[in-house]
């Protein structure tokens, strides 16, 4: 039986996501964002998400269409989608590690360990392309069906998200100043969208939730950068004022006196 899907909704939602991310990339090019490792990783996540949004539209459009070419295309597109989802989680964890440790050497070292789920998913999708049906399969009528082990992909993604939360939690308790790091801002929308799409096939929540998460992440990163001096990389006066306000609020004070003698309520 052909899967029940709302193709119009999927096209509108995913196309909106693509436009939003393309606008974000254009904004980065106009503003000439500094090319750092973290920025490269974030840009890679954006590119993967755009590609997956487009491929998701494609797989729903061709689902159930006749033809040998469609049959092959269904396998290719769905394999890339599953692999792309795991890669997004992988890049997110590398981004988190670099933002916390600021060490390219450490990122190279941990990248090998974090790549294990990516490699496993790659092996599974290759086997599925030859008819194994582990994560997914395509019927003779060219209809996509989730495999008996399709839940593994969602487990891998959730493990990546959990890993990023644990890394940030441990870093904070070790005294790392990452007050503005938006780990939950990114993870929560992704988890909610992934759960909905895992439970209900045919709704466009998975990748669009990633779009929302990336936009929120970018907003938080812009806020963080406003507290940092571009030349020295150290916190600026704006951060000191913010920090003193937070300290005073925790102590129950209604006014803040800054180091230059000025005062605000």
């Amino acid at each position: 039986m052909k899967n029940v899907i709302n193709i119009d909704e999927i096209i509108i939602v995913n196309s909106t996501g693509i436009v939003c991310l393309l606008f974000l990339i254009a904004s980065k090019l106009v503003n000439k964002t500094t090319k750092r490792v973290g920025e490269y990783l974030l840009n890679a996540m954006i590119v993967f998400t755009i590609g997956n949004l487009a491929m998701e539209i494609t797989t729903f459009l061709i689902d159930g269409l006749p033809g040998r070419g469609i049959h092959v295309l269904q396998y290719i597109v769905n394999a890339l989608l599953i692999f792309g989802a795991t890669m997004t989680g992988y890049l997110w964890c590398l981004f988190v590690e670099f933002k916390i440790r600021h060490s390219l050497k450490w990122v190279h070292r941990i990248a090998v360990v974090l790549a294990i789920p990516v490699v496993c998913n790659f092996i599974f999708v290759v086997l599925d392309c030859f008819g194994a049906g582990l994560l997914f399969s395509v019927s003779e009528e060219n209809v996509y069906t989730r495999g008996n082990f399709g839940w593994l992909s969602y487990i891998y993604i959730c493990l990546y998200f959990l890993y990023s939360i644990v890394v940030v939690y441990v870093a904070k308790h070790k005294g790392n100043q990452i007050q503005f790091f938006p780990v939950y801002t990114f993870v929560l929308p992704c988890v909610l969208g992934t759960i909905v799409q895992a439970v209900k096939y045919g709704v466009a929540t998975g990748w669009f939730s990633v779009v929302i998460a990336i936009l929120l992440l970018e907003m938080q990163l812009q806020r963080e950068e406003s507290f940092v001096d571009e030349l020295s990389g150290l916190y600026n006066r704006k951060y000191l004022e913010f920090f003193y306000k937070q300290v005073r609020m925790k102590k129950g004070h209604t006014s803040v006196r800054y180091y230059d003698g000025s005062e605000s309520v």
Side-chain angles (χ1 to χ4, degrees):
M1 180 181 295
K2 185 176 173 62
N3 295 312
V4 179
I5 58 175
N6 188 337
I7 189 63
D8 292 334
E9 174 206 353
I10 292 169
I11 292 175
I12 292 172
V13 172
N14 283 19
S15 297
T16 302
I18 292 173
V19 171
C20 289
L21 293 184
L22 288 176
F23 180 82
L24 178 59
I25 291 178
S27 176
K28 286 174 173 288
L29 292 175
V30 170
N31 295 327
K32 297 181 180 180
T33 306
T34 304
K35 298 302 181 183
R36 295 167 291 190
V37 175
E39 192 68 27
Y40 280 121
L41 291 170
L42 179 57
N43 289 340
M45 289 170 55
I46 294 173
V47 171
F48 264 97
T49 303
I50 291 174
N52 285 313
L53 285 164
M55 285 188 292
E56 188 173 61
I57 293 175
T58 302
T59 188
F60 281 120
L61 282 173
I62 66 176
D63 193 54
L65 295 181
R68 181 61 184 173
I70 297 296
H71 189 76
V72 174
L73 184 61
Q74 269 283 57
Y75 269 111
I76 294 175
V77 172
N78 281 287
L80 290 175
L81 268 173
I82 295 174
F83 179 73
T86 316
M87 274 298 299
T88 302
Y90 174 67
L91 292 170
W92 163 245
C93 287
L94 293 181
F95 176 79
V96 171
E97 287 284 5
F98 183 79
K99 287 290 292 183
I100 291 176
R101 298 179 182 270
H102 301 283
S103 170
L104 187 57
K105 184 178 180 180
W106 171 257
V107 171
H108 284 157
R109 186 184 307 169
I110 197 67
V112 177
V113 178
L114 290 175
I116 294 176
V118 175
V119 174
C120 291
N121 242 21
F122 177 77
I123 294 173
F124 288 148
V125 295
V126 169
L127 292 174
D128 283 349
C129 287
F130 288 95
L134 299 173
L135 303 180
F136 76 97
S137 63
V138 179
S139 69
E140 293 182 359
E141 293 78 21
N142 295 336
V143 176
Y144 167 90
T145 305
R146 288 174 179 170
N148 293 329
F149 296 94
W151 50 269
L152 279 176
S153 295
Y154 298 102
I155 293 296
Y156 290 149
I157 296 171
C158 289
L159 285 176
Y160 277 132
F161 291 152
L162 179 61
Y163 175 87
S164 65
I165 292 173
V166 171
V167 168
V168 173
Y169 177 83
V170 172
K172 284 184 177 180
H173 280 263
K174 287 184 177 180
N176 196 318
Q177 293 297 323
I178 50 175
Q179 183 174 2
F180 305 104
F181 194 81
V183 61
Y184 295 107
T185 302
F186 182 85
V187 169
L188 289 180
C190 291
V191 169
L192 291 175
T194 300
I195 290 175
V196 172
Q197 188 146 338
V199 173
K200 180 65 175 177
Y201 176 81
V203 294
T205 59
W207 285 109
F208 190 73
S209 67
V210 178
V211 174
I212 295 173
I214 289 175
L215 294 177
L216 293 175
L217 174 64
E218 184 66 25
M219 291 170 59
Q220 287 291 91
L221 292 175
Q222 290 297 325
R223 183 192 181 198
E224 177 188 16
E225 289 183 1
S226 70
F227 289 113
V228 178
D229 180 75
E230 291 185 3
L231 294 178
S232 65
L234 301 175
Y235 286 120
N236 54 25
R237 174 193 169 113
K238 187 176 181 180
Y239 172 76
L240 292 176
E241 294 177 352
F242 173 83
F243 178 77
Y244 287 138
K245 284 182 180 180
Q246 295 299 310
V247 172
R248 292 285 182 172
M249 288 175 63
K250 289 181 180 179
K251 292 182 178 180
H253 293 275
T254 57
S255 63
V256 181
R257 183 174 295 277
Y258 305 123
Y259 56 86
D260 62 354
S262 61
E263 184 174 311
S264 66
V265 178

